[in-house]
Structure formats: structure tokens, C-alpha cells
Amino acid sequence: MGSRSSHAARIPDGDSIRRETGFSQASLLRLYHRFRALDRNKKGYLSRMDLQQIGALAVNPLGDRIIDSFFPDGSLQVDFPGFVRVMAHFRPVDDEDAALRDPKEPEPLNSRMNKLHFAFQLYDLDRDGKISRLEMLQVLRLMVGVQVTEEQLESIADRTVQEADEDGDGAVSFLEFAKSLEKMDVERKMSIRILK
């Protein structure tokens, strides 16, 4: 146990990152070791190429989009705190956390609303706050590949946007996106169990 806390002390801003993300000390330490393993050249940051080493992202049809989320505003590198902030979206929701949360504090990164925001930005390619039919179509192409005809994909995209688009503007806003997923267990589906 003593060696674990001495390792945790070497994590830059460890206490602050734990408070912001809700990760336990043990999970933060695992993430720190994973970050350092991905940073093979010991640069102190990760590039897109470093993240592409993660096997689960390499085979995920939305892997490139998920990797993009580590680099907001076109940055070319992510430091450890930025890496952990993105990973925090996948931390399982703990009912105990919700009960103890101070309502004056910002919502945790792993809250339902923040998980939905994260998912929304995977679709909102031009970051205009809406998912257009074309953006929906591009994501569907990635997800299904060649298993479905282009005509079928266009039909699915049209229907998906139509069903979610309540204000009739031909696109899906974040609120419409969230409402269309209100019955989905986003908290569980967007969680990685090892990230407590």
C-alpha cells in the first residue's frame, strides 16, 4: 500500500484530477500507467498516433471520432489531465456519488448529461450544435460499412433525423438527441467497468 501512495504522489495534480473526474486513486494510477505506456517516447503527452495503438479504438468504427475527442479545438497533443477528463466520461455512474453530490458543484463528467454530450459530439462533425442528415449518414456509413446499401443507409438517416427532429428544422439538436435517447441506459452503455 505504501508504494501505491508514493506512485500516486508522482501523478501531476493527482488530487485535483481525482476531484474533477471522480476516479479513485487506484483507477487514476492505472490510467497514469496506461498513459505512460502509450507515451512510448516519454514526451509527456499523447498524439493521435499514440492513441491509435489502443486495440479497442482501432477496431471501433467510431474510433477516429473518439480519438478526435481527445484533441478539442484542433490541438495535436493531449496531456495526462486531458486524457483523464475524456476517460472520465466512461466512468460508471455510482448512485452513491449522485446522492453525495453538492448541487452547487458542476455535474460530474460521467453524468448522464455529460455522457450524452460526449456521444452527441461524435455525430456533430462540424460542431454547429446540430446533427444534420449528412452527418448522421456519415456516422452510419462508419458503423455499418458495406453491409447495407447506400439507399438503405439514406433511408435510415432520413428516418432517424425525422423521428428525433421535433422543431422541423431538418437537424437534431442536443436536446432532441437527449430526448430521443431518454429510454436508453446511457449510463451503463457508455461505461467501462474498470474505470471506477
Side-chain angles (χ1 to χ4, degrees):
M1 178 112 175
S3 68
R4 178 167 286 211
S5 60
S6 66
H7 283 297
R10 285 189 254 151
I11 297 174
D13 301 320
D15 289 337
S16 149
I17 295 169
R18 278 189 30 235
R19 279 191 303 276
E20 182 182 356
T21 63
F23 281 119
S24 68
Q25 188 168 327
S27 290
L28 192 61
L29 190 57
R30 277 195 304 275
L31 286 169
Y32 187 64
H33 288 302
R34 181 65 169 147
F35 179 87
R36 291 186 55 189
L38 290 168
D39 179 17
R40 290 186 179 158
N41 297 327
K42 309 297 177 224
K43 307 172 299 277
Y45 64 85
L46 300 178
S47 66
R48 290 185 63 79
M49 201 159 47
D50 294 323
L51 291 172
Q52 289 167 340
Q53 298 174 53
I54 301 172
L57 288 177
V59 298
N60 186 321
L62 295 177
D64 280 339
R65 295 274 166 66
I66 294 168
I67 289 172
D68 287 344
S69 68
F70 285 91
F71 305 97
D73 306 320
S75 64
L76 300 175
Q77 56 194 41
V78 62
D79 60 7
F80 180 67
F83 174 76
V84 175
R85 280 185 203 101
V86 173
M87 295 303 294
H89 290 91
F90 298 98
R91 189 172 70 83
V93 174
D94 189 345
D95 294 335
E96 227 175 82
D97 288 349
L100 300 173
R101 188 174 84 75
D102 181 349
K104 295 176 195 146
E105 292 292 316
E107 268 195 52
L109 293 171
N110 70 328
S111 70
R112 176 180 181 80
M113 199 55 67
N114 282 326
K115 285 177 184 280
L116 287 169
H117 272 289
F118 186 89
F120 182 81
Q121 59 95 25
L122 296 177
Y123 289 85
D124 183 17
L125 306 177
D126 61 8
R127 292 193 160 92
D128 68 348
K130 293 192 174 268
I131 301 169
S132 68
R133 176 194 172 281
L134 183 60
E135 288 170 321
M136 181 65 70
L137 189 56
Q138 287 176 311
V139 172
L140 287 172
R141 278 189 194 117
L142 288 173
M143 291 169 60
V144 298
V146 295
Q147 300 167 5
V148 178
T149 69
E150 186 65 21
E151 190 176 289
Q152 290 170 318
L153 278 178
E154 288 178 11
S155 174
I156 293 168
D158 288 340
R159 199 174 15 181
T160 302
V161 170
Q162 273 178 343
E163 286 176 10
D165 178 23
E166 292 185 340
D167 62 9
D169 67 350
V172 179
S173 69
F174 173 72
L175 291 176
E176 291 167 336
F177 179 80
K179 186 170 183 185
S180 70
L181 295 174
E182 67 188 356
K183 291 186 172 113
M184 182 179 278
D185 187 2
V186 172
E187 295 88 342
R188 190 176 55 77
K189 290 191 181 290
M190 283 188 65
S191 293
I192 302 172
R193 276 186 313 165
I194 61 164
L195 298 177
K196 280 256 174 186

